Amino acid sequence: MIKHTVKKGETLHNIAKKYGINLNALLAVNSSIRNPALIQPGQVINIPRPAVQRTIVIPRENYGYDEMLNDLQSLEELYPFIEVNSIGSTVMGRSIPVVKLGHGKKEVHYNGSFHANEWITTVLLMKFIENYAKAYASGKKIGSFNIPGLFETTSLWIVPMVNPDGVQLVQGKIATNTKTYQTALMINSGSRDFSGWKANIRGVDLNDQFPAHWETEVSRRAASAPSPQNYPGNAPLSEPESRAIAEFTRSHNFRLVSAFHTQGEEIYWGYRGLEPNESQLIVTRLVEVSGYEAVRYVESDAGYKDWFIQDWRRPGFTVECGLGVNPLPIAQFWDIWGKVIGIFLMGINV
């Protein structure tokens, strides 16, 4: 962060121009300035580093928890108006980061990597955080979307990785000499190939953990004990990760939530007839910008989207990105990105 001492005759507009940054970005890191017209000579203001053509989030194989944390730190340094906090901790004590972009009254929430082997959704969300921040700092649009305007009207809260322990396990980044790893190995029938692992480190499917007809979900699931996938746990919200995101959701007034998963190129938008009428209008627009298929109902309960619709009666979506077998190869990233960026932007705009 650069410090600039205001000289006689200077305005915030020409200071921003001098440093090659957008006025909105300058105001974002000087929250004490209530009236931009009233800056005084001798006043010291913060100048964010210019958003040069530096790429931080680079899609690559085994993009995991540590890579995400390093990129979040770099993004905060380059774009000081980004706010990074934590919603809680995992079974193994890893912090679960949340990123806030914008300062409007309308609140929207996105999350990714509920399922461990769907970690490519974290990379998609991280890339969106970078592109969204870069567009705001430069005062530019993304396509037809006015990013500075969206920043003013909407607070976007993103949890890029709900299940850090599980992601690390899938990517071979859990120490093999630990009791935690040995327990996971036993759950995985002795196989060191964890590519089919969706659950958290204790073998609980975090997207089967929410109090939305959880008992019905238990009755239809094949897994009745800790498993790489499809075990709902011994009670709703039994896991620290699912509790963290539930408490986080309850502490906000989200107008819309979207959980990003893989794969199928589908958008699930209904739940037991409890979804509001506007959900159908919104999903139509999401389909228009992505080419994905809208699916109203599936035989499933206890998911994050289900719980949100049930308890808030507001629009909730599960977006299944890409096609193939999980974990999707990073080679698919840019093809998926070209379709989901419209979903990211439209979800803030509606």
Side-chain angles (χ1 to χ4, degrees):
M1 190 81 71
I2 304 167
K3 299 292 183 181
H4 176 89
T5 302
V6 177
K7 299 179 179 64
K8 186 177 180 180
E10 282 189 319
T11 65
L12 280 182
H13 184 270
N14 59 36
I15 292 171
K17 187 175 181 180
K18 173 182 177 180
Y19 286 97
I21 58 176
N22 179 259
L23 181 59
N24 286 328
L26 185 60
L27 289 170
V29 295
N30 290 278
S31 57
S32 61
I33 299 177
R34 302 299 180 188
N35 187 340
L38 297 180
I39 61 171
Q40 302 292 327
Q43 183 176 351
V44 178
I45 60 174
N46 298 316
I47 307 294
R49 296 179 186 179
V52 294
Q53 296 302 310
R54 174 187 170 198
T55 298
I56 293 172
V57 180
I58 300 174
R60 54 198 186 275
E61 289 291 352
N62 293 330
Y63 186 103
Y65 182 71
D66 294 334
E67 291 77 11
M68 175 186 68
L69 291 185
N70 289 337
D71 284 352
L72 286 175
Q73 181 177 349
S74 297
L75 288 168
E76 277 189 288
E77 292 172 358
L78 188 58
Y79 305 107
F81 48 84
I82 292 177
E83 299 178 32
V84 181
N85 290 294
S86 173
I87 66 168
S89 299
T90 68
V91 171
M92 298 184 72
R94 291 182 173 88
S95 176
I96 304 172
V98 59
V99 180
K100 182 189 178 191
L101 296 145
H103 41 262
K105 290 184 178 180
K106 182 176 73 174
E107 293 188 298
V108 171
H109 168 55
Y110 297 158
N111 61 58
S113 292
F114 252 102
H115 290 145
N117 63 354
E118 299 175 8
W119 55 263
I120 198 170
T121 58
T122 293
V123 195
L124 289 164
L125 287 166
M126 289 293 295
K127 194 64 183 175
F128 180 67
I129 291 168
E130 179 176 30
N131 282 22
Y132 194 56
K134 183 180 290 187
Y136 176 70
S138 59
K140 294 181 179 179
K141 292 182 177 182
I142 300 178
S144 61
F145 294 90
N146 177 5
I147 305 307
L150 290 175
F151 248 75
E152 295 301 316
T153 60
T154 306
S155 292
L156 174 62
W157 298 82
I158 297 177
V159 178
M161 189 181 290
V162 176
N163 186 7
D165 296 347
V167 169
Q168 294 297 87
L169 180 66
V170 168
Q171 296 186 352
K173 297 174 181 177
I174 301 289
T176 59
N177 60 350
T178 62
K179 183 178 179 181
T180 302
Y181 178 85
Q182 293 302 319
T183 300
L185 189 64
M186 182 177 65
I187 294 171
N188 205 39
S189 302
S191 173
R192 294 179 181 271
D193 178 4
F194 289 96
S195 60
W197 190 281
K198 294 169 62 177
N200 76 345
I201 199 70
R202 289 201 290 226
V204 177
D205 189 322
L206 297 176
N207 203 42
D208 272 339
Q209 270 272 288
F210 293 87
H213 294 269
W214 179 83
E215 294 81 3
T216 303
E217 186 70 2
V218 170
S219 69
R220 70 163 64 97
R221 285 300 188 182
S224 57
S227 173
Q229 52 185 279
N230 300 334
Y231 174 55
N234 57 18
L237 304 180
S238 65
E239 302 308 293
E241 298 92 346
S242 53
R243 285 198 302 273
I245 202 155
E247 291 165 7
F248 165 73
T249 304
R250 290 179 181 129
S251 70
H252 290 272
N253 185 31
F254 292 126
R255 176 264 189 285
L256 174 151
V257 303
S258 289
F260 289 85
H261 290 252
T262 57
Q263 45 73 36
E265 295 196 342
E266 296 172 323
I267 305 171
Y268 301 112
W269 62 277
Y271 183 64
R272 290 180 173 259
L274 302 175
E275 66 280 357
N277 291 334
E278 66 171 333
S279 292
Q280 185 163 18
L281 300 175
I282 293 171
V283 79
T284 298
R285 300 182 73 179
L286 299 181
V287 167
E288 287 173 355
V289 296
S290 66
Y292 282 13
E293 180 183 354
V295 178
R296 188 166 192 171
Y297 300 128
V298 292
E299 192 176 90
S300 178
D301 293 283
Y304 175 76
K305 174 267 295 179
D306 306 332
W307 172 69
F308 181 79
I309 293 173
Q310 171 191 271
D311 283 18
W312 280 267
R313 308 297 169 96
R314 293 178 184 171
F317 304 94
T318 297
V319 181
E320 298 284 354
C321 307
L323 292 169
V325 178
N326 292 328
L328 296 182
I330 202 66
Q332 282 199 27
F333 179 86
W334 291 111
D335 179 65
I336 297 171
W337 170 258
K339 298 174 182 178
V340 301
I341 187 172
I343 296 175
F344 290 145
L345 291 165
M346 188 62 75
I348 310 167
N349 190 62
V350 292

